[in-house]
Amino acid sequence: VEHMGEITQMRGSAVVSSSATLLPRARTRNLFSWATLVLLVIILGIVSAIFSRLEHKRYNTNTSTNTISPSPQPQSQSQPYYPQQDCVTYTEQWCTERCNSNNTCCPSCCGVHPYIPAPSDAVRVDLVVEYMIATPDCVEAIVIGINGQFPGPTLEFTEGDAVEITIHNHLDTEAITMHFHGIRQTNSSWYDGTAYVTQCPILPMNSFTHKFIVDDPGTFWYHFHFGQLSNIGYGALIVHPKATPPFSYDEDIVLMIGDWYHRSPTAQSIGLRSVPFRWIGLPQSIIFNGLGMYSGCNNSPNSCVGLLNNGCGYHTVSVKPNFTYRIRIIGVGSLVALSIGFEQHTVKLVEIDGTYVQPLDVSTVEVTLGGRYSVLLTADQIVENYWISVSSRDRANVPSGYAVLRYFGANTTALPLTNRETSVPHKPVNDYVSLIEFENQHVTRQGYEIPVPEATVHINLVGQQVYVENLLRWAMNNVSGTVPNTPIQISNYLGIPTPKTLLPLRPVTTYNYSRSLGSQGMSTQGKMGVGTFEIEIGDVVEIVLQNSAALVGVMEAHSWHLHGHRFWVLGAGVGVYDSTSAHLNTVNPVMKDTVILPGSGLPSSPTTWVVIRFVADNPGVWMFHCHASSHMEMGMFVLFSESSDLVSPMPRDFPTCGLATTSAVVREL
């Protein structure tokens, strides 16, 4: 600029310049130079803003072979950005109002973490998704394999690891998303893997990389989060703590249990969306780590030993005498709540959903859909083979499942000699009261309690079965959940109008929840909507989940899972919730991300309730849904839109769909 020398003489509010003595033509040139400078500053500001929005790590499609325990690999400085774990300083008053003395609610106090470059020891994992032919329960089926196996490999990390997990979709026709169940995705909500909520599905023959920090130790799992695929594509995810856990054991064992269907996920989904309605029915078998027995094989086990060579048979858990094992039980089913027990062995329950609980000796563990439970089993019995028994807890006529607990030194070709049906003392299938008792008896282990703040937002949610344009649906406060073609978080970020339905904090009408709507002469018509609660960072949200009978009069159980947060389970009970008489634990409740709302599975049963509370400390759009995949597909979910203006920058390598086309994203960014 011609007169830059004059500009450099500025001091405070005074400008030392000889421009006042310029001739008119020179004065014009001077004004033009000033305008040029201002224009340059504006252009530089715009460019800087664009690059600030695009700040992230470069998309990586590394196709190296995945290992079960991935090892760190060096990274260049061009990698994406991860949320910093250290707190930023807010005003003292703001923090005092929301944080306790030991700062255990650091995420609330810190708000949005700043971003720093990925550490050089970030861990990369590749998961290749493809069709496989397998015999999970001795009936041949097409399953979805991950890295050539079903279930997928167990991923093991250490607390605090920054990870990159690349999903390579090699399926011929299926689009997918991958959710990391129980991982809070602190300030990385883009990578939550919820189809049409946080991201577009990964199309066939495409890849996408999730980038986040595993900031909580414990037992977790990963699974598809699209349609009915969740229980045919999954694997365990273990985060080892930096500190020594408050109990000792010799070895880890992962045991994933769940129901198994012969009907394909596509057929199930189509039936749920059909008029007339076609229910998915009861599962055909129970599988352990992808292995079980169906029908005649299950009823006459000795006649099925020969089938072991064909890739099916009883799953075997091998133990050494006098060793103590941490068995990480994961509920990976799609419909049925289960109970598991180990013949002639009492186990000690020590962890639930990543929280250390006060140790409790139990003969059976009640496993909800999506829930995780660590038990300590000491192999202190006679060297022999023993049954591991799994039974339904909320639906009658579901076949039980069995595996073998085999001591080293026992006959490797023989089955246990005892009667499997009576080998473990399960509670009756429809005994919902014992499920409530099981939920209420757990407390956080002493020394690991996190103080429970007072609630500032109160929500009462009632699940109702209704009809929407002749479709049988589940609704929450009379709104049956649906999602738009453009993911909601992308719409919020890009300023695309979102057809949200703001949900009422309480049901519009109250009635006798133990009976169906129709039996009381009430309307059975509901409406579809993107049911949303809008909350802000720092809110303390209390939710009362109230059960109600389905249209056929049956009181079903529902396993509820919250994305992006962990919540305190304050209590559960029978009847209509009454805050004046309910006994809630606000001293040492367990923090979880999945909880069961019990139901008997029978008609004319009392309603039930459960109360949870969580701190809004993680910007994003988060799903809260029943983990029975059929119920979720029928609309049993709500969304929490949490301080959308504070969401971290949208990755530019994101899959696009709907109105979030590539050109629209590029234009906005």
Side-chain angles (χ1 to χ4, degrees), residues 445-463:
R445 191 179 184 113
Q446 188 174 2
Y448 292 86
E449 304 94 337
I450 297 178
V452 183
E454 290 294 324
T456 60
V457 177
H458 296 267
I459 297 173
N460 282 53
L461 272 179
V462 176

Side-chain angles (χ1 to χ4, degrees), residues 100-311:
N100 50 59
S101 58
N102 62 0
N103 205 31
T104 50
C105 65
C106 176
S108 299
C109 186
C110 299
V112 180
H113 297 294
Y115 277 65
I116 59 173
S120 59
D121 61 349
V123 181
R124 293 180 186 171
V125 175
D126 287 84
L127 299 179
V128 179
V129 179
E130 54 194 346
Y131 294 114
M132 291 176 54
I133 295 178
T135 52
D137 65 348
C138 297
V139 175
E140 188 173 272
I142 295 176
V143 303
I144 297 181
I146 301 175
N147 287 11
Q149 61 188 78
F150 172 78
T154 296
L155 306 182
E156 297 189 56
F157 304 106
T158 300
E159 177 187 0
D161 278 349
V163 303
E164 291 188 359
I165 303 177
T166 300
I167 311 300
H168 303 282
N169 184 2
H170 288 187
L171 302 178
D172 297 326
T173 59
E174 301 280 359
I176 58 173
T177 62
M178 188 70 80
H179 172 60
F180 302 89
H181 188 116
I183 301 297
R184 288 184 297 139
Q185 299 290 355
T186 304
N187 211 40
S188 53
S189 57
W190 296 107
Y191 301 111
D192 188 50
T194 314
Y196 298 110
V197 175
T198 57
Q199 76 169 82
C200 300
I202 308 167
L203 297 178
M205 304 307 155
N206 280 260
S207 300
F208 176 68
T209 302
H210 294 258
K211 304 158 188 174
F212 55 89
I213 287 178
V214 287
D215 48 7
D216 294 312
T219 307
F220 308 95
W221 62 304
Y222 60 93
H223 61 81
F224 297 137
H225 209 287
F226 196 37
Q228 297 295 300
L229 295 176
S230 62
N231 73 322
I232 68 167
Y234 58 83
L237 192 159
I238 309 302
V239 180
H240 297 286
K242 289 181 178 179
T244 303
F247 46 83
S248 59
Y249 57 95
D250 298 299
E251 294 181 15
D252 257 314
I253 295 175
V254 171
L255 193 57
M256 296 176 282
I257 61 173
D259 46 43
W260 181 254
Y261 283 82
H262 292 169
R263 189 187 304 178
S264 74
T266 301
Q268 293 180 45
S269 290
I270 292 173
L272 294 172
R273 300 193 301 266
S274 296
V275 179
F277 178 76
R278 290 169 174 80
W279 176 233
I280 64 172
L282 296 176
Q284 279 65 58
S285 52
I286 303 295
I287 57 177
F288 302 73
N289 288 1
L291 198 61
M293 285 196 179
Y294 164 68
S295 190
C297 294
N298 203 19
N299 296 326
S300 303
N302 291 324
S303 67
C304 296
V305 175
L307 293 174
L308 293 173
N309 295 327
N310 295 327

Side-chain angles (χ1 to χ4, degrees), residues 462-475:
V462 176
Q464 305 150 310
Q465 201 171 62
V466 296
Y467 284 105
V468 181
E469 297 179 357
N470 296 321
L471 288 172
L472 185 63
R473 304 280 295 179
W474 281 103

